[in-house]
Amino acid sequence: MSPIIIVGERFGERMNRRVGLILGLFIAGGALAAFGATPSAASQERSADLTAAVQAAVSSGTMIHPNVIATDNKTCFACHKGKRLTYELPSGESVSATIDEDKWLASEHGHQDMACIQCHTGISQYPHETGISTDLRSFVLNESKVCVRCHEEQATMVADSVHTKLLAEGNKNAATCSDCHDPHYAVNPPVSRTDVPATCRECHSAIYDLYEQSAHGEALTTGNPDVPTCTDCHGVHEIQGPDNSPFRLFSPEICASCHGDKDLMAKYGISTDVFNTYVSDFHGTTVLLFEKYAPDQQTDKPVCIDCHGVHDIIPPEDPRSSVFEGNLLATCQRCHPDADANFPTAWLGHYEPDPHKWPLVYYVTLFYKILIPTVIGAMLLFVLLDVVGRIRRRRQHA
Amino acid sequence: MPESFPRFNVSDRIEHWIQFVSFTVLAITGLVQKWPELGLTDTIINWLGGIETTRLIHHVAAAVLLLAVVYHVGTAGYRLYVLRQGKLMYPNMKDAWAAVHAVGYNLGLRQEPPKEGHFTFAEKAEYWSIIWGTTVMAVTGFMMWNPIATTALLPGQFIPAAKAAHGGEAILAVLAIIVWHVYHVHIRSFNRSMFSGSLSRHEMADEHRRELDLIEAGEVEAPLPPATVVEKRRKIFMPVYALIAIVLLGGVYLFLTFEQTAILTITPPEQVQIYQPAPTTTTTLP
């Protein structure tokens, strides 16, 4: 591990800190406390864990100052591993400040020889400075502010996400980096596909419960990687919510990215005509045109999820499905409240018309396929004869 | 000898130009909906201000066309019942022979072109095509505009079938106008009668030889009834047409307003608590 050396700049401030530090040391009986919070009862037993350097410094009365000495992770782990170290916040909530060193070393950050104080930048001395966070959630949000220093690309994407939007609106429940990526133990690549829903479930358990019961969720939880997990539809860092108009408007493309894949769908015997038949119908045509001309506007025409369900999508053959034959009318009536029993078959159910399924549509189409070339062909022939006749007569005249 | 032969009165010409405008607008705003993927569609829909505006314009133009139909029922009815001019418009065997004759003439099998009356077979073909086409478009348009009312009586499949017919008929109509109308009225020789209301002697000799001969012999193809008879029939026709017009206008109003097909808001597809922490875990820093 590479030691990090931070050189203090303001000597006067340092002197004041020293006074505080000496007092703190006396009060705590030479024990170290985590993050500069009020030392708790547990802190009394910590002195034994001090590294030799720390112990020597304390016993000799020399100031230990991380600003002027090299502070490597060893120094931190002297206190922060093994013991049940907690950090109490003014709100009364406490944070575990114990790190499993083995797991840390196995993590991506551990692999990269990251020093604790690279992220925990507010800590420059012992006892640690009192943090700015008054409650647990603020603490998590504040700690995550440092991630951008190394992960700028991801942070830029996150900046456009619904989570950032909600945080900016003052909703502290919205996720920040460390809610999904455990900074101490996360490995790279972070998680397998099947683990994604478990991460999102931490905050979105009601949605998870729906997803778990869906055709997609059921398959994923039994280890099938073909099906979409949360991030396949919502994105990873630039996660979008349902209120975002481009997200809803372009959602048929998300569905089509799998449901238009012939090889993938062949495995499950699912038609890949679903997207084309949707776009060629009134609803889909409108959505397609909105995508082209008004991508930031909402349309009241349905996208896939409006009929099939969102997180709880199940096959249309399932009697519980919103697009099961017997449930179609109720589904149509959500937007067409006056619709009657015949109304649902105005939608051809993603089938291309053929003589057996939808014969009327098929034969009307066929009728015009014959009528148009016949009539226009006859007209063209007649016009052509007239042109030829006129040219011939003009020549004869001349 | 007259040099100018009246053909279309002011009312006829106004009808034609209303038709022209509504047909053109309907064709443009309709075909872009039929082919949303086309590059030209991009330009047109952008220019019109989006698909919802495009549909609104299509509906307004449809309403104008329907009003023109109601008016035409009056002018045609007046000509048929009061003036007894029906034989001018009805297709007959002479028209069929004129078509065959014209082909023969163009192939050099005949020395003379067919001698045609007030309306040529080409004009009659176009007129009746427009009657047919407008009927198909109005019926199928009504079905798409009012799918709930339609499916209250007919199977749901009639709606996509109506859409197929509406699109097919539209292509047929637009191509027919481009091939047939443009050729006969603009390319072969520029027919100005829809501006001026009349044809020249030369044009009459070229296209309406039989009518010209009749006029020069002091006759007409469909003689007008005596003024007293016209007046008598007029008195019957006018109130009857007023009644028909009221019924038809009511029909047009219903056509436009019969149902509200869909609600105007977006129904959320799912009702679920978005933020709901997992019950089994507690939020602590690892």
Side-chain angles (χ1 to χ4, degrees):
Chain A
M1 279 185 208
S2 52
I4 301 298
I5 299 170
I6 300 170
V7 179
E9 288 167 37
R10 289 163 296 180
F11 186 72
E13 197 185 333
R14 228 157 62 200
M15 286 304 289
N16 289 338
R17 285 183 194 159
R18 284 179 188 182
V19 176
L21 182 56
I22 294 161
L23 284 169
L25 280 170
F26 273 105
I27 293 163
L32 295 173
F35 300 107
T38 318
S40 64
S43 58
Q44 286 167 2
E45 54 187 77
R46 285 175 212 157
S47 56
D49 286 353
L50 292 179
T51 60
V54 177
Q55 275 173 329
V58 171
S59 56
S60 67
T62 319
M63 282 303 107
I64 311 162
H65 203 296
N67 282 10
V68 289
I69 64 155
T71 309
D72 62 16
N73 289 355
K74 242 178 144 184
T75 313
C76 304
F77 276 123
C79 295
H80 288 278
K81 76 171 178 185
K83 300 288 178 212
R84 283 182 160 273
L85 211 58
T86 54
Y87 165 42
E88 272 184 32
L89 292 155
S91 65
E93 295 161 301
S94 64
V95 184
S96 162
T98 304
I99 300 299
D100 181 328
E101 194 179 10
D102 293 337
K103 275 175 79 183
W104 157 259
L105 289 172
S107 78
E108 185 61 21
H109 283 154
H111 266 303
Q112 300 285 339
D113 281 346
M114 289 281 295
C116 305
I117 58 168
Q118 274 181 279
C119 297
H120 297 285
T121 51
I123 293 164
S124 59
Q125 61 184 13
Y126 184 83
H128 303 319
E129 296 88 334
T130 306
I132 54 163
S133 306
T134 53
D135 61 84
L136 181 60
R137 192 60 196 157
S138 307
F139 174 78
V140 173
L141 294 173
N142 283 329
E143 292 294 299
S144 280
K145 283 177 183 164
V146 298
C147 305
V148 61
R149 293 177 177 195
C150 296
H151 303 287
E152 201 185 336
E153 192 189 320
Q154 288 77 7
T156 309
M157 289 195 273
V158 168
D160 296 328
S161 74
V162 64
H163 289 144
T164 302
K165 189 180 142 225
L166 289 169
L167 284 170
E169 286 168 5
N171 184 343
K172 285 186 166 183
N173 291 327
T176 184
C177 314
S178 65
D179 289 318
C180 304
H181 306 282
D182 189 317
H184 300 116
Y185 307 134
V187 290
N188 199 22
V191 278
S192 78
R193 280 174 62 74
T194 47
D195 287 343
V196 172
T199 305
C200 302
R201 178 174 181 257
E202 292 295 321
C203 292
H204 304 292
S205 71
I207 293 172
Y208 179 88
D209 292 344
L210 292 174
Y211 173 75
E212 198 185 20
Q213 303 293 318
S214 75
H216 296 144
E218 212 174 70
L220 192 87
T221 46
T222 55
N224 183 340
D226 285 350
V227 289
T229 180
C230 314
T231 49
D232 291 304
C233 302
H234 292 276
V236 186
H237 293 107
E238 71 282 23
I239 279 179
Q240 297 300 320
D243 298 337
N244 182 305
S245 46
F247 180 64
R248 179 178 176 273
L249 194 60
F250 288 85
S251 63
E253 266 84 359
I254 299 174
C255 303
S257 65
C258 289
H259 284 275
D261 183 331
K262 282 197 160 58
D263 295 335
L264 187 63
M265 289 302 118
K267 279 173 75 175
Y268 304 96
I270 298 173
S271 162
T272 48
D273 289 335
V274 288
F275 186 71
N276 296 339
T277 49
Y278 168 69
V279 165
S280 65
D281 183 72
F282 177 77
H283 292 149
T285 304
T286 311
V287 168
L288 180 81
L289 290 169
F290 261 82
E291 286 175 357
K292 276 183 167 179
Y293 308 111
D296 51 349
Q297 282 177 37
Q298 284 285 19
T299 170
D300 54 4
K301 308 301 176 288
V303 293
C304 312
I305 55 169
D306 289 302
C307 303
H308 289 270
V310 189
H311 299 104
D312 55 354
I313 294 177
I314 45 177
E317 302 81 35
D318 190 318
R320 294 170 302 147
S321 167
S322 52
V323 291
F324 178 70
E325 212 174 344
N327 304 332
L328 266 179
L329 181 59
T331 302
C332 296
Q333 281 173 336
R334 290 173 55 230
C335 294
H336 304 285
D338 299 332
D340 268 331
N342 286 351
F343 187 79
T345 48
W347 160 244
L348 301 179
H350 293 293
Y351 288 97
E352 295 282 6
D354 70 42
H356 306 292
K357 185 91 194 172
W358 315 129
L360 184 65
V361 186
Y362 176 80
Y363 286 114
V364 166
T365 310
L366 185 68
F367 172 71
Y368 277 99
K369 267 186 186 161
I370 296 166
L371 185 70
I372 295 169
T374 308
V375 171
I376 301 303
M379 284 178 170
L380 276 172
L381 188 67
F382 195 91
V383 164
L384 200 72
L385 280 175
D386 199 74
V387 172
V388 170
R390 271 159 199 272
I391 292 170
R392 193 174 40 77
R393 286 191 295 275
R394 196 168 293 170
R395 280 206 189 130
Q396 281 172 352
H397 224 70
Chain B
M1 278 290 163
E3 281 307 308
S4 175
F5 298 82
R7 209 158 175 77
F8 300 117
N9 60 33
V10 175
S11 159
D12 295 334
R13 281 177 266 164
I14 289 172
E15 259 193 72
H16 172 267
W17 291 112
I18 289 174
Q19 273 265 344
F20 168 80
V21 171
S22 64
F23 182 93
T24 309
V25 171
L26 283 165
I28 292 169
T29 55
L31 290 178
V32 293
Q33 294 184 62
K34 184 160 175 63
W35 290 305
E37 312 89 350
L38 275 190
L40 190 61
T41 298
D42 283 24
T43 321
I44 294 168
I45 292 194
N46 242 350
W47 184 69
L48 293 174
I51 176 62
E52 298 291 15
T53 321
T54 305
R55 287 206 175 110
L56 181 69
I57 297 169
H58 193 78
H59 287 177
V60 169
V64 171
L65 184 62
L66 287 172
L67 293 177
V69 167
V70 175
Y71 184 70
H72 187 73
V73 167
T75 57
Y78 188 83
R79 284 192 166 121
L80 289 179
Y81 177 74
V82 181
L83 303 180
R84 301 289 155 111
Q85 302 284 293
K87 72 178 283 198
L88 295 181
M89 262 344 273
Y90 292 134
N92 52 42
M93 281 314 286
K94 272 187 197 158
D95 296 314
W97 285 120
V100 173
H101 189 151
V103 171
Y105 176 61
N106 285 327
L107 288 172
L109 305 174
R110 282 171 174 266
Q111 294 308 305
E112 289 294 316
K115 291 182 175 175
E116 301 208 63
H118 187 69
F119 290 116
T120 66
F121 78 89
E123 288 165 339
K124 286 182 186 177
E126 187 172 334
Y127 175 81
W128 290 105
S129 296
I130 289 171
I131 298 288
W132 155 261
T134 307
T135 309
V136 170
M137 295 310 264
V139 170
T140 55
F142 176 87
M143 291 162 89
M144 286 192 286
W145 201 325
N146 302 282
I148 292 173
T150 305
T151 53
L153 301 169
L154 296 168
Q157 211 192 145
F158 272 73
I159 305 299
K163 192 181 165 212
H166 203 80
E169 192 63 40
I171 295 169
L172 185 60
V174 169
L175 288 178
I177 289 292
I178 291 171
V179 173
W180 199 250
H181 186 84
V182 169
Y183 178 73
H184 285 111
V185 182
H186 302 287
I187 294 177
R188 194 166 67 172
S189 64
F190 200 97
N191 187 324
R192 285 175 184 78
S193 58
M194 269 304 166
F195 301 97
S196 64
S198 54
L199 288 179
S200 67
R201 169 177 296 279
H202 179 72
E203 286 169 317
M204 286 295 285
D206 226 22
E207 293 180 19
H208 306 280
R209 187 73 213 206
R210 183 153 45 87
E211 187 187 24
L212 182 66
D213 291 348
L214 279 170
I215 291 169
E216 300 203 317
E219 294 173 40
V220 283
E221 207 175 331
L224 286 175
T228 49
V229 177
V230 167
E231 196 48 41
K232 213 174 91 189
R233 286 188 190 141
R234 209 181 126 90
K235 275 182 182 152
I236 300 168
F237 178 78
M238 282 311 194
V240 171
Y241 173 65
L243 214 69
I244 293 171
I246 287 167
V247 171
L248 287 176
L249 287 173
V252 171
Y253 179 77
L254 275 182
F255 190 117
L256 308 182
T257 60
F258 196 75
E259 68 179 42
Q260 197 197 335
T261 306
I263 56 169
L264 299 172
T265 50
I266 301 168
T267 313
E270 189 173 84
Q271 297 286 353
V272 62
Q273 188 65 37
I274 295 175
Y275 177 70
Q276 178 142 341
T280 51
T281 55
T282 50
T283 318
T284 50
L285 195 73

